[in-house]
Structures are given as C-alpha cells and as structure tokens.
Amino acid sequence: MSNFLPNSLVKKLGINPLFDTEAFIKVHEEAIRATAIRLNPRKLDDCPFPNTGGIPWCEKAYYLKDRPIFTLDPLFHAGAYYPQDASSMFIDYVIHSLRLNEDAIRALDLCAAPGGKSTLLNSCLHPESLLVANEIIKTRVTVLQDNLTKWGNANTLTTNNDPAAFKRLPGYFDLMVVDAPCSGSGMFRKDTDTIDEWSEANVKLCSERQQRILVESLDTLKTGGYLFYSTCSYSMEENEDIVDWLIDSGNFESIEIPSDENWGIDHTLSEKYQAHGYRFYPHKLGGEGFFIAVLKKIGEQPTFNRKRIKPEKSEVPKGILDDWLLRGDLFYSFIHHDDVYVLPKVYENDLKYMQSVLYLKNAGTNVGKLNRKDLIPSHALALSNHLNIHCQSVELTLEEAQHYLRKENLTIDAIPQGIQGWALAKYRGKSLGWMKILANRINNYYPKELRIVNL
C-alpha cells in the first residue's frame, strides 16, 4: 500500500482486478503532472507554447512540454487560452458526440467557478446558444465572471444562486452540467492537502450533498434534455452510485458515449442499472482523476408559461454603440446603474424571466458607462469578440504589455503618431484593455483590481 494515499481508498479501487494499483501509487509518488491549455477559438488559432501534441478528445487543446508562468503571458490576460486539466475537457467530445453543437440551446453550468467548464461550453456549443453559469459561493463568482469576460462572448449570464433557485425555471434548459463538489481524491497530485482532508466520512457527506444539489435543481431540465454529471473523485459513492440513484427516480436513462480505447479512459458500468460512466486515471492518460456520466431526462417535466413580454424602449441613446460594436443591430441593449449592457436580441425575454427569479451577477457584456451622451468603454468591451475591429489600437512589446498589466505608466514615445483618444492596448494582435492617449501622456485604464502585482 501507499505510505501517503488513503489505504481505504486504494483498497477499494484495487477490488477491480483490472485496476493497476502499483501504477496508480507510482504516478502519485512521482508527482509529475501534465500541463494543458485550451485555446479560445475566437481569439487564437495556434498553440503559443512548445507542446507535445493535441488532446485527442478536445478540439484546439494541447499538452505543453513545460508549465509556463501564465501570469507573465499577456495572451493569458487577453483570454486567448485557458489552462485546464485535460480530463475535464472530455466535455467537448461529449457535446460533439451528442451533436449539441449543431443548434442553439439553453445550457446551465450549475457549479461553475472558476470557469473552466463554462468557457469550454461557451466555445463548443452553437454560437447562438445561451449559457448560464452559476456559482453559489459569492467570493468565487467574481473569478467566474472574470474568466467569462476574458472569453469575450455576450451570450452568457452569470448568476449567484443556491441550486434550489432554478426550480423557479422548470423545464427551461436543454443541457445541465453539474460538476459537483466532492471529496477531491482525483486532485491528490494537484493539491496534496486534499490527501489529509480525505476520509470515508467526508465521502459520505459529499454524496449526500451531491444528491441534495441534484434533487433541488433537476426540475429546470426539460424533458429530453441532457444532464452531464461529473466529479473529481474516485469514490463510487460519489460517482456510479449517484447515477444509479438518478435512474432510480424514473426520470433518467443512461447514455453511452463511445470513445477511442487508445485514449486510456475507463468505461465503467454502475452496479444496479449497468449505467455508463467514464473514469480518468492519471496513470493511464495525461490528466487528473475525473468521472463523468451522461443522462437523458425521460420523465415528463411541466414548464412555465413563456408568454412573450412586450419589448420596452431602450434607454440607451440611439447610435451610441455604433462605433464600438461590430454588429450592434444583433443585440438588445439596456442600462443598469449607468452601465450599458448588450445581450443577443433573441434572449431578451430570457433575461427578463431570469431577472424575476434569480440573482444575476452579470448579463451579456458590459460595454461601458454612460457619461451624458458619450460612452466610457469598459474593460469587458476591450476583451469582447463583438468589438468593432476599426477601433484604434496600439501594439505593445512584451515588456510594454507587462508594464500595462501592472497598471504602470507607458511613455508617449510608444504611441504611433496621429493616435489620440481611446485606444486598445494590444499584444500580438490581442486586446488587453483600454488606454486614453492625450497630447502629453497616456492614461492606463487597466482595471486596478486585475492588475498584476508581481511580474
């Protein structure tokens, strides 16, 4: 047995005669982890780092040869890529296998912070889909929203609600992703503190919490909708047993997602219903511990009366967004606390449904603050994929970009002649934020709360 891994966990895993206990222990003792990133397809075409090749189950995702210091890379702050464990990127493959990328849908990421799965969904779903990213813990919602802001799409809502709040939107979502809080055994290599915190009693508590989260929120999934249930735990009580419990309700059926056997993913079957599950072990592939199961809702789910709400006249001054957005006619614009927001027009009613029953942290893209008849552009607009490509910009060197990200002063010598007023600070063609160029100085508008303190 291992000297530091929980013996009771290793014993349970070893009951399976096909499980290689020795290799499992060894990979944890060596503590050599794979580093992976997933590109933002709206911002980057090629991997910016030396890599060992693509991740087979996720498009535009790569294993890196070495782990760079992401904080030092302006492309990271521009939202050009997201560092993410390769195992959890399997959701991309599931989306494509079910062809959920072919038509616009409404999707809910219920336990979304810090935003890895939300940004993945925002890339692989149909671009006209609506994504609601929810996080119950208030302090984690800010990180979630920051990552979605970097990703740059306006078809997202960020909410801060208990899962039970979504009962007020019955039969609403086509897809529900529940990456449930768990005992964390799959993260032993990433965070060794979780080893000391792990216990069978905690596994039991997590299993009970997972059931509570599910039973209080599943009404929001429509009949025929898909549930992706996942954890970063190795314990059957939090994985296959939860899937059996869901099928016991009579409302779900298990969906098989065939995959390439050379990928090293374990296809498991639950004890009671032989339901399909997929386990990722670090000794078999380049990723951390992960479990995912896909279920389809077959029970009849009543919904609410989605009567069309009469459109209200926008308070946003006509024409004020014309110079800032590439296609302003595609968006519904509204004002909240003097800030102007845009959301795809097709989801205007959806926003109003949710405003009546949920606490919204953010809706769409905050494009700026109204100042009489002018707009002071926001940081979110600078990172937006909907920004007018004709906006003024200044290309910075790596050193200048790092100074900018520290919110330090830039010299006027760095600015090409003839540029005045609002301009984008760019690095390798990717927007980092705004600067305002005056006759004798440059005002750095990078948000103070995001500045890089140590470079």
Side-chain angles (χ1 to χ4, degrees):
M1 285 295 168
S2 168
N3 291 324
F4 66 98
L5 293 177
N7 283 333
S8 59
L9 173 66
V10 176
K11 280 181 181 177
K12 280 189 174 181
L13 292 172
I15 291 173
N16 180 350
L18 299 178
F19 185 78
D20 191 338
T21 303
E22 186 177 333
F24 179 76
I25 293 172
K26 184 179 178 182
V27 78
H28 284 83
E29 290 175 341
E30 290 175 345
I32 300 171
R33 293 178 50 221
T35 298
I37 64 168
R38 177 174 41 78
L39 306 189
N40 184 337
R42 300 286 299 273
K43 296 189 177 184
L44 206 59
D45 292 323
D46 300 308
C47 183
F49 301 107
N51 62 84
T52 59
I55 295 168
W57 50 81
C58 184
E59 295 182 357
K60 290 193 173 293
Y62 300 87
Y63 290 113
L64 304 187
K65 285 186 177 179
D66 301 294
R67 185 175 182 85
I69 303 173
F70 294 116
T71 308
L72 298 177
D73 184 16
L75 291 179
F76 167 71
H77 300 282
Y81 62 83
Y82 190 96
Q84 185 177 17
D85 177 61
S87 298
S88 59
M89 297 185 199
F90 188 67
I91 287 176
D92 181 272
Y93 178 78
V94 177
I95 291 286
H96 285 87
S97 296
L98 297 174
R99 302 173 71 174
L100 291 175
N101 60 311
E102 295 183 2
D103 297 294
I105 65 170
R106 292 173 175 85
L108 169 64
D109 187 357
L110 188 67
C111 310
K117 292 178 180 66
S118 290
T119 55
L120 187 154
L121 290 166
N122 205 210
S123 290
C124 65
L125 291 175
H126 190 281
E128 294 177 12
S129 294
L130 178 69
L131 173 66
V132 177
N134 179 70
E135 174 55 46
I136 186 174
I137 301 172
K138 198 169 185 178
T139 54
R140 286 165 58 86
V141 177
T142 300
V143 177
L144 170 62
Q145 181 52 44
D146 285 346
N147 282 320
L148 284 169
T149 295
K150 286 181 187 177
W151 219 243
N153 297 324
N155 60 336
T156 63
L157 302 179
T158 307
T159 62
N160 177 208
N161 294 270
D162 186 274
F166 288 90
K167 273 189 174 181
R168 302 168 195 155
L169 291 170
Y172 183 77
F173 290 100
D174 304 282
L175 170 65
M176 186 171 170
V177 176
V178 181
D179 187 40
C182 67
S183 60
S185 50
M187 295 290 106
F188 281 170
R189 292 198 309 168
K190 183 178 179 181
D191 182 4
T192 53
D193 288 343
T194 57
I195 299 174
D196 295 329
E197 295 168 3
W198 190 92
S199 69
E200 292 195 72
N202 191 35
V203 168
K204 184 175 184 297
L205 284 172
C206 288
S207 177
E208 291 168 353
R209 178 168 56 171
Q210 289 150 5
Q211 291 177 52
R212 182 193 73 81
I213 289 171
L214 290 165
V215 78
E216 290 186 346
S217 61
L218 284 174
D219 284 356
T220 199
L221 187 64
K222 66 187 280 189
T223 300
Y226 289 96
L227 168 66
F228 296 178
Y229 174 76
S230 65
T231 74
C232 55
S233 169
Y234 295 122
S235 297
M236 188 174 291
E237 296 92 330
E238 300 176 79
N239 297 329
E240 288 88 352
D241 288 356
I242 294 290
V243 177
D244 272 343
W245 172 79
L246 284 164
I247 296 173
D248 247 338
S249 70
N251 287 330
F252 289 92
E253 65 178 7
S254 174
I255 301 297
E256 182 178 5
I257 306 294
S259 62
D260 191 325
E261 61 181 19
N262 294 317
W263 292 350
I265 301 167
D266 276 17
H267 178 194
T268 67
L269 297 173
S270 67
E271 186 174 350
K272 186 172 184 180
Y273 291 107
Q274 299 292 288
H276 305 282
Y278 302 90
R279 284 177 171 255
F280 294 68
Y281 290 109
H283 63 284
K284 299 189 72 173
L285 45 76
E288 301 306 312
F290 184 64
F291 170 86
I292 187 168
V294 179
L295 299 109
K296 187 173 184 178
K297 192 167 190 177
I298 55 175
E300 190 61 35
Q301 176 60 61
T303 187
F304 59 97
N305 182 12
R306 303 191 203 187
K307 62 181 180 181
R308 184 166 178 79
I309 301 169
K310 186 178 179 180
E312 298 174 2
K313 186 177 179 181
S314 176
E315 299 175 292
V316 179
K318 191 173 181 180
I320 198 170
L321 301 179
D322 291 351
D323 292 335
W324 299 104
L325 294 175
L326 193 58
R327 286 289 308 276
D329 59 308
L330 298 178
F331 296 98
Y332 162 64
S333 58
F334 59 99
I335 297 175
H336 182 67
H337 296 320
D338 294 329
D339 285 319
V340 179
Y341 291 79
V342 295
L343 185 76
K345 272 185 180 177
V346 67
Y347 293 117
E348 179 182 351
N349 280 352
D350 297 75
L351 173 61
K352 290 170 182 175
Y353 298 148
M354 291 195 212
Q355 282 177 318
S356 65
V357 297
L358 300 173
Y359 173 71
L360 304 186
K361 174 73 173 178
N362 187 78
T365 297
N366 179 337
V367 294
K369 190 173 289 291
L370 277 181
N371 181 21
R372 297 193 180 124
K373 291 185 178 181
D374 292 325
L375 185 80
I376 300 173
S378 70
H379 182 63
L381 178 62
L383 299 182
S384 172
N385 296 318
H386 312 291
L387 180 66
N388 193 328
I389 58 175
H390 301 298
C391 287
Q392 293 186 123
S393 64
V394 177
E395 184 68 24
L396 304 178
T397 65
L398 176 60
E399 185 178 6
E400 289 169 341
Q402 291 175 341
H403 282 310
Y404 175 81
L405 292 168
R406 292 181 68 174
K407 203 171 171 57
E408 294 179 346
N409 293 328
L410 298 174
T411 63
I412 200 75
D413 299 338
I415 307 303
Q417 198 169 12
I419 296 183
Q420 291 247 323
W422 291 107
L424 292 162
K426 287 191 173 184
Y427 173 72
R428 293 175 61 177
K430 313 304 173 190
S431 297
L432 303 175
W434 294 105
M435 57 175 71
K436 196 166 189 181
I437 302 165
L438 306 175
N440 57 356
R441 74 176 190 275
I442 301 169
N443 289 344
N444 184 339
Y445 275 80
Y446 194 73
K448 184 179 178 181
E449 65 275 13
L450 296 178
R451 76 190 189 281
I452 308 305
V453 179
N454 298 308
L455 274 178

